Amino acid sequence: MTEENLLTAHMEQRLDVAMASMPNIGSRNQAQKIIRAGLVTVNQKSVLRPSHMVTPGAVIEWESPVMEPLELLPQALPIEVVYEDESLLVINKPANMPVHPGAGRSTGTLVNALLHHVGTELPHAPDEPFRPGIVHRLDMDTTGVLVVAKNDAAHRALQSQFEARSVAREYVGIVWGVPDPRSGIIDAPIGRSLRNRTLMSVRSDGRQAVTHFETHEILGPAALVRFQLETGRTHQIRVHLNHIGHPLLGDVAYGGATIKYGAATRNRRVFYSNIFEVLDRQALHARSLGFIHPESGVEMEFMSELPEDMIWAMEQLSKDPTYLWDS
């Protein structure tokens, strides 16, 4: 059993929810398939029910399903194209869509959809053959704007802009609590978590990571916050927010899928359980993306409005049954 297939539970929750926090699983649906296939043990005992409740300290282990070698196949999946020309296209990525194939998943990704949409081969880095056209990524459950290269020249030029940190990126997220101060900079290095090697954490020996934030609206026990990135580390915003005690609402992997502010009364547990049924992901959206067109040299900026699940969650937060927030 590898470290990637080992998890120690830190709270009481459903088995499929706990496993969904692992990047090499990535969703409750995939976790349920692995559980029902008889590949999971809890404290060395086989478990077949995704709804099985695990307690803090429970050791969860699983075997990875046997996978055929990855083959990149075009798929007629719905994607929202914001802009397209001969060099690139800009996508408004939905939730629950991985950007590229990976362990345990060879279909249903943005790459599969792009291959069908473009109808030709897409460029890729020499060591990343399964990421054609991809110059940056969003987490599977993060929505919003993402640029894709359609030829080698555009791929190199866009990658250079990301490496030079000249690409302007703004994200919007719903966080637990209200940051104090309400705007500022989180400058904290990020590396692999020592407790769970598939997650990231703030570490003194990690790579530099800088996130600018500004509180835009107070939503009862939560807040709508805007973020701008200087760096682009894996899970950067999610890790930084957890580090300062304000995780993203609904973020299973980084502490946002349980009540973080206010009393955990029965009414509030039911209330937030209903919210998490609709907002079944971290409440993070890539709102805008600005870069220099690799061929024309023209400055370009693209924006995406908040998705419906986040708008709905914001409306619900004002109805929190028992929690009063002193702003």
Side-chain angles (χ1 to χ4, degrees), residues 184-301:
I185 300 173
I186 307 171
D187 186 349
I190 291 176
R192 286 285 171 191
S193 169
L194 295 177
R195 297 175 62 184
N196 185 336
R197 299 296 294 175
T198 61
L199 300 181
M200 311 299 288
S201 65
V202 168
R203 292 180 49 176
S204 60
D205 59 348
R207 301 175 68 188
Q208 182 191 30
V210 180
T211 303
H212 297 250
F213 70 92
E214 181 178 1
T215 302
H216 181 65
E217 182 179 354
I218 296 175
L219 305 166
L224 185 69
V225 181
R226 292 178 176 174
F227 309 95
Q228 290 185 332
L229 300 181
E230 283 190 28
T231 54
R233 307 303 175 210
T234 300
H235 301 174
Q236 178 173 318
I237 293 174
R238 300 166 66 188
V239 172
H240 273 172
L241 287 171
N242 186 40
H243 177 65
I244 66 171
H246 296 284
L248 287 165
L249 196 77
D251 193 339
V252 173
Y254 293 101
T258 57
I259 295 173
K260 301 296 290 186
Y261 284 78
T265 61
R266 181 181 181 279
N267 284 345
R268 292 191 84 219
R269 291 198 302 271
V270 171
F271 178 77
Y272 283 102
S273 176
N274 291 333
I275 287 182
F276 295 146
E277 282 295 317
V278 176
L279 184 73
D280 58 349
R281 65 183 184 96
Q282 68 268 9
L284 184 63
H285 177 68
R287 179 175 179 270
S288 68
L289 182 68
F291 54 87
I292 304 298
H293 192 282
E295 183 175 339
S296 68
V298 173
E299 292 186 9
M300 308 188 80
E301 183 177 21

Side-chain angles (χ1 to χ4, degrees), residues 33-201:
K33 290 180 181 178
I34 296 173
I35 295 166
R36 291 184 176 124
L39 301 176
V40 181
T41 64
V42 177
N43 294 332
Q44 299 184 338
K45 295 182 180 179
S46 179
V47 175
L48 297 175
R49 290 187 300 108
S51 62
H52 176 84
M53 297 300 293
V54 296
T55 55
V59 177
I60 305 166
E61 299 178 274
W62 65 95
E63 298 179 24
S64 297
V66 177
M67 300 297 297
E68 297 295 327
L70 284 178
E71 181 180 2
L72 296 181
L73 298 174
Q75 282 186 285
L77 303 173
I79 54 173
E80 181 183 346
V81 178
V82 178
Y83 172 86
E84 183 174 12
D85 60 27
E86 294 183 354
S87 299
L88 57 86
L89 66 161
V90 177
I91 303 295
N92 188 19
K93 191 186 88 63
N96 198 32
M97 175 178 272
V99 170
H100 52 75
R105 185 186 291 269
S106 60
T107 59
T109 74
L110 179 60
V111 162
N112 298 110
L114 291 171
L115 292 173
H116 178 271
H117 176 82
V118 175
T120 61
E121 291 187 4
L122 292 169
H124 61 81
D127 59 342
E128 296 182 336
F130 295 109
R131 302 185 184 187
I134 305 302
V135 292
H136 70 123
R137 63 182 295 274
L138 299 175
D139 292 339
M140 180 176 73
D141 285 332
T142 298
T143 55
V145 284
L146 182 145
V147 62
V148 177
K150 294 175 65 175
N151 57 54
D152 287 328
H155 193 269
R156 289 192 297 269
L158 289 169
Q159 275 198 324
S160 295
Q161 291 183 53
F162 277 96
E163 291 170 358
R165 302 181 183 179
S166 61
V167 177
R169 291 174 286 175
E170 181 180 275
Y171 293 73
V172 179
I174 304 172
V175 309
W176 280 104
V178 180
D180 183 17
R182 295 187 181 179
S183 63
I185 300 173
I186 307 171
D187 186 349
I190 291 176
R192 286 285 171 191
S193 169
L194 295 177
R195 297 175 62 184
N196 185 336
R197 299 296 294 175
T198 61
L199 300 181
M200 311 299 288
S201 65

